Amino acid sequence: MFLETYRQIEEALRACTGEETVELTDGGEHADYATTVAFSLAKKLRKSPMVIATDLAAELTGRLADAGITVETKGPYINFHVSAAYVQDAVREALEPGYGKLPAHAGRVILEHTSANPNGPLHVGHIRNSIIGDTLARCFRKAGYPLEVQYYVNDMGRQIAIVSWGFDHVPKERLEDEKEDHHIARVYVAANREIEKEPAITGEVDHLMQLIEKGDPETQKKFREVVSHCLDGFKVTMGNLNVVHDRFVWESDFVRNGDMERIIDRIDRLPQAKHEGTLSLDLTECGFEKDYVIRRSDGTSVYAARDLAFHTWKGRNSDRMIDVLGADHKLIGSQLQCTLKLLGEKAPEIVIFEFVSLPEGSMSTRAGKFISADELVAEVTNKAFAEVSERRPELPADQREEIARAVAISAIRYDIVRISPEKSTVFDWKEALNFERQSGPYVQYSHARACSILEKAGAFDEAFTYTDEHEIALAKQIARFPAVIDQVVRELRPHLLATYARDLADQFNTFYRYVPVLKSEGEMRASRLTLVKAAQNTLKESLETLGIDAISTM
């Protein structure tokens, strides 16, 4: 309802002003919607904003009367208020399964996220990428977009060559119950220690990189086996975090199928191309001082060459492509965008995120100093189990374990995604697991409370009479959910959904605190239970779109 009404008002404002941009916003405490368009028209019309606002309000009143929208002015501001019918319709809509899903879009979206180097376990820095990316993916699907989520597999880089060398020269058998990615990390760390002791090994690693680029079958097979081994571990970790990829795209495929060489040939002919032993691009027109290297002096390509081939392929197979990248890839991402534009190809939209860390400090896979995502999940799950056991000691152990897992993933996913991507954050499990705080478990608990109320109520006939201010405020907050999904996919800011879910939980708990539900009678009781059911369904859809289980008991 919120989104449809917004568009009605927006259309009326455009018709009345002749302006394409009409600056319609949430009205805050004073109205349901508001506009400051009178200010932008004042200079053009050479009139006072107050006079313009008064004249516009009169015209808008006539246009919006049939929709039940009232218009008023507060000085130069124009405010809009919805009717009781809006509140009733909002609650009706929110009772539908899958509430919040927007009409289908024709444009195909490719979203790439995580794409971590397969040389050791995913750590907490990686999983901010995964969680941001997966939340965006869920929002795009909720918004009706055909979507493919991709993981770009780096199977040609120096790290993979080091791991491959390690398996041949410092073999370490996989331990019992050791995950594949943890096994890879032990080999990688051991190989790096050997290289530090004997720098000549670097030449052997370089030789492997030359062989892989030339398509040597034996080297390709070894690299593919090593990388597949690590990816098997990654998939378990991401599955535990409710993160799903549709497709794993291998970097080496763009060498084998000739796409990389075709891109290099096109770059070679660009006027910005520089041939000084290496092949590079002068990107000063995009504001970059350093050249963008495509091919080394020994004739081997760099990662950028394959990345350009990958993005050219993605761009030709999608209407919109999005990359989720860490802040350390900001320069690389900008150079990629610039080069694709020079080639006349579509450039990706890039979501840059700052890093999440733990109180323990920084991590390094190469040095063997990291806290894996697996360890983080295990630790938070143990702490969640202790919290659930204290709150619900009467539940069987297996049920408490199931709840603890859901709560732990909620704590991790919510705490990581709630911060806007451009801000760095430190994950603190004590805060993330606080049931009383505005956290993932807090939103889950609000959903469970709604489930409990409905269970106690038993059967009831739906009714839609609302007069109490808390009832109306909750219904209006529920109505906003589809608009939040729309905003997330337009602006690529998944934290907005986390904020909405928390605010909805707050509004529901405030309603429950001040408005009797089970003790009320007649149509009032039925209407309030219907509102609880709408809130429960909206909380469920919000949580699931955040990749969090909407459990019914805690």
Side-chain angles (χ1 to χ4, degrees):
M1 286 300 297
F2 181 91
L3 192 56
E4 291 86 345
T5 304
Y6 180 99
R7 287 170 178 164
Q8 278 184 299
I9 298 172
E10 190 176 46
E11 185 179 338
L13 280 167
R14 287 189 181 124
C16 292
T17 63
E19 299 291 309
E20 183 62 28
T21 303
V22 290
E23 302 155 357
L24 182 63
T25 63
D26 186 316
E29 295 180 1
H30 306 291
D32 296 306
Y33 306 86
T35 182
T36 57
V37 70
F39 287 101
S40 59
L41 290 171
K43 187 175 182 180
K44 181 178 178 180
L45 300 178
R46 297 186 179 182
K47 288 183 180 180
S48 159
M50 289 182 64
V51 172
I52 293 171
T54 301
D55 292 344
L56 279 176
E59 188 176 354
L60 287 164
T61 295
R63 286 182 177 271
L64 296 171
D66 289 345
I69 300 167
T70 57
V71 187
E72 66 170 5
T73 58
K74 292 287 185 183
Y77 302 97
I78 304 174
N79 293 332
F80 304 88
H81 300 270
V82 298
S83 65
Y86 171 100
V87 172
Q88 294 168 353
D89 289 344
V91 176
R92 282 193 182 92
E93 283 187 14
L95 296 171
E96 294 297 318
Y99 172 58
K101 189 168 180 63
L102 302 180
H105 286 263
R108 184 168 184 261
V109 179
I110 293 178
L111 171 62
E112 180 207 340
H113 69 77
T114 307
S115 300
N117 287 332
N119 61 335
L122 298 176
H123 56 59
V124 68
H126 294 131
I127 64 171
R128 189 175 195 196
N129 191 321
S130 303
I131 291 168
I132 288 172
D134 188 72
T135 306
L136 280 174
R138 291 167 183 270
C139 288
F140 268 95
R141 289 198 169 102
K142 193 77 172 170
Y145 285 87
L147 175 76
E148 182 170 274
V149 182
Q150 295 183 354
Y151 187 116
Y152 185 46
V153 182
N154 175 2
D155 64 330
M156 290 187 66
R158 177 169 291 275
Q159 295 98 328
I160 310 309
I162 291 171
V163 174
S164 181
W165 181 92
F167 268 93
D168 286 339
H169 296 86
V170 285
K172 290 185 176 292
E173 294 298 322
R174 184 178 169 194
L175 304 176
E176 188 177 356
D177 297 328
E178 184 178 35
K179 276 180 81 253
E180 297 89 341
D181 46 342
H182 290 259
H183 179 212
I184 290 288
R186 285 199 301 116
V187 175
Y188 181 62
V189 170
N192 273 294
R193 287 174 180 160
E194 290 300 313
I195 292 169
E196 288 170 5
K197 289 189 289 185
E198 184 52 67
I201 296 171
T202 300
E204 297 177 39
V205 172
D206 291 341
H207 182 61
L208 287 173
M209 293 178 68
Q210 291 168 357
L211 288 173
I212 190 70
E213 187 153 344
K214 289 176 181 176
D216 177 69
E218 185 179 348
T219 307
Q220 285 180 343
K221 182 182 178 184
K222 284 183 178 180
F223 276 40
R224 180 76 59 138
E225 287 174 352
V226 165
V227 171
S228 297
H229 190 58
C230 196
L231 287 178
D232 287 342
F234 283 3
K235 289 172 185 177
V236 171
T237 303
M238 289 187 290
N240 288 337
L241 288 165
N242 297 337
V243 173
V244 179
H245 287 85
D246 302 309
R247 188 172 185 176
F248 287 75
V249 182
W250 295 72
E251 180 185 359
S252 59
D253 287 347
F254 296 98
V255 177
R256 279 196 289 275
N257 67 15
D259 281 359
M260 185 194 72
E261 280 302 324
R262 283 186 281 273
I263 283 290
I264 291 176
D265 288 344
R266 290 174 61 190
I267 290 172
D268 200 37
R269 295 192 296 270
L270 287 174
Q272 295 88 353
K274 295 175 70 173
H275 307 85
E276 298 173 350
T278 63
L279 170 63
S280 62
L281 279 173
D282 180 348
L283 300 182
T284 52
E285 63 191 85
C286 295
F288 302 110
E289 293 181 6
K290 291 185 177 181
D291 293 338
Y292 188 40
V293 177
I294 304 298
R295 189 169 53 207
R296 302 181 185 91
S297 57
D298 64 2
T300 57
S301 62
V302 299
Y303 176 84
R306 279 98 65 188
D307 205 21
L308 286 163
F310 172 47
H311 280 85
T312 299
W313 171 76
K314 283 199 295 184
R316 293 178 180 182
N317 287 280
S318 67
D319 298 284
R320 188 176 180 187
M321 58 173 166
I322 301 156
D323 295 351
V324 182
L325 300 174
D328 57 338
H329 284 73
K330 189 172 185 178
L331 172 62
I332 295 168
S334 298
Q335 290 172 322
L336 172 78
Q337 288 173 318
C338 177
T339 303
L340 287 167
K341 288 173 184 176
L342 291 177
L343 290 167
E345 299 290 347
K346 189 185 300 179
E349 300 169 67
I350 298 179
V351 178
I352 295 289
F353 66 91
E354 289 293 336
F355 294 102
V356 59
S357 59
L358 298 170
E360 289 83 353
S362 61
M363 292 157 284
S364 167
T365 305
R366 182 177 181 276
K369 296 178 180 177
F370 57 84
I371 296 174
S372 71
D374 300 312
E375 292 169 304
L376 177 68
V377 170
E379 181 179 2
V380 178
T381 302
N382 287 337
K383 295 182 188 306
F385 181 77
E387 180 71 25
V388 172
S389 295
E390 184 176 337
R391 288 171 168 269
R392 301 295 304 276
E394 77 282 4
L395 294 177
D398 58 346
Q399 189 175 356
R400 280 180 279 137
E401 286 172 2
E402 186 179 343
I403 293 171
R405 183 204 170 274
V407 168
I409 300 309
S410 169
I412 293 168
R413 285 193 63 128
Y414 187 92
D415 202 71
I416 286 176
V417 83
R418 72 183 174 84
I419 305 295
S420 59
E422 68 273 11
K423 295 181 180 178
S424 60
T425 180
V426 176
F427 178 83
D428 184 333
W429 66 266
K430 291 181 182 178
E431 293 298 312
L433 277 172
N434 190 333
F435 283 51
E436 309 301 328
R437 178 182 170 271
Q438 295 172 333
S439 61
Y442 168 77
V443 181
Q444 282 180 310
Y445 185 71
S446 302
H447 173 264
R449 167 178 275 176
C451 291
S452 175
I453 294 167
L454 294 170
E455 185 180 3
K456 290 175 183 176
F460 63 92
D461 293 326
E462 293 173 355
F464 302 89
T465 301
Y466 303 110
T467 56
D468 184 275
E469 62 176 320
H470 297 100
E471 297 171 341
I472 294 168
L474 177 56
K476 287 181 177 180
Q477 182 67 12
I478 287 169
R480 294 175 59 87
F481 179 49
V484 172
I485 296 296
D486 179 70
Q487 187 179 7
V488 169
V489 300
R490 280 188 293 105
E491 300 179 10
L492 301 179
R493 296 172 71 78
H495 71 283
L496 297 174
L497 177 58
T499 301
Y500 170 80
R502 179 201 66 202
D503 290 346
L504 176 60
D506 280 345
Q507 198 74 60
F508 173 71
N509 290 323
T510 298
F511 156 79
Y512 187 66
R513 185 179 304 119
Y514 292 106
V515 178
V517 177
L518 294 172
K519 292 183 179 180
S520 54
E521 298 179 347
E523 185 175 355
M524 180 182 291
R525 182 178 188 271
S527 295
R528 288 174 178 174
L529 284 169
T530 303
L531 183 57
V532 171
K533 188 176 178 181
Q536 176 268 325
N537 193 41
T538 309
L539 285 164
K540 170 182 173 291
E541 295 294 334
S542 301
L543 284 164
E544 290 179 352
T545 309
L546 286 165
I548 295 170
D549 293 338
I551 49 182
S552 58
T553 186
M554 288 178 71

